[in-house]
Amino acid sequence: MHRLVTGENGTPLIAAFLKAVHAYRKAYCYDEDLLGFTPNEKEILVYLVKRGRSCTAKEIVEFLGISKSMVSHSVEDLITKGYITAGVDERDKRRIILSLSEKGNNASMRFNAVAEDFFVMIYEGISPQDMDTFRKVLAQMTHNIDASIDQIRKSRTGSVC
């Protein structure tokens, strides 16, 4: 078991990481073109444009790690605002397929540009080797969190949800 890992100033490293995540989400708020969207709506639009094709709400939940109810609410709002469309899957009538509208594509491209500018700024001065190490550490942390959640679910229900 590791003790709490801290940075040079004694702040827990996870707190510094979460601060960076918060700054990333906040970066969207400083662009006039991006006002009026929730952080989840922005993430959904960027996911759809990066994916390059339609998907289901379930796929959004799995990729972004946002709850079903939050995705459902955000998707409904995006449909109402005209940024995405919903259609029935021709192969499986039970599935609803979500797609970007032209308006949604334009907005998501703008979100993506802001995000890329943000990442260029925060990655400044970080070597490719350090970025590779960061990716590996983050992947292991994500794996540990997922395994812990699975273990908690198993202990509560006797099976994985």
Side-chain angles (χ1 to χ4, degrees), residues 26-70:
K26 197 173 178 183
Y28 286 136
C29 297
Y30 294 114
D31 190 303
E32 286 294 319
D33 296 337
L34 309 181
L35 296 175
F37 291 91
T38 67
N40 288 339
E41 289 171 349
K42 294 171 190 172
E43 295 294 334
I44 290 168
L45 290 173
V46 169
Y47 171 68
L48 285 170
V49 80
K50 284 187 174 186
R51 182 179 167 87
R53 58 186 167 88
S54 302
C55 70
T56 65
K58 180 181 178 184
E59 291 168 312
I60 294 171
V61 167
E62 291 170 356
F63 184 81
L64 296 179
I66 303 170
S67 71
K68 290 178 189 177
S69 63
M70 290 298 293

Side-chain angles (χ1 to χ4, degrees), residues 16-28 118:
F17 177 74
L18 292 174
K19 183 178 178 181
V21 169
H22 179 71
Y24 164 68
R25 294 190 108 180
K26 197 173 178 183
Y28 286 136
F118 177 80

Side-chain angles (χ1 to χ4, degrees), residues 56-90:
T56 65
K58 180 181 178 184
E59 291 168 312
I60 294 171
V61 167
E62 291 170 356
F63 184 81
L64 296 179
I66 303 170
S67 71
K68 290 178 189 177
S69 63
M70 290 298 293
V71 168
S72 177
H73 180 74
S74 296
V75 164
E76 286 176 22
D77 287 349
L78 289 167
I79 290 170
T80 300
K81 295 175 185 176
Y83 290 98
I84 62 175
T85 60
V88 176
D89 185 343
E90 291 301 317

Side-chain angles (χ1 to χ4, degrees), residues 131-148:
M131 284 304 300
D132 188 50
T133 299
F134 177 70
R135 279 196 261 327
K136 289 175 184 173
V137 169
L138 193 55
Q140 184 61 52
M141 291 172 82
T142 301
H143 170 77
N144 293 346
I145 290 168
D146 289 344
S148 177

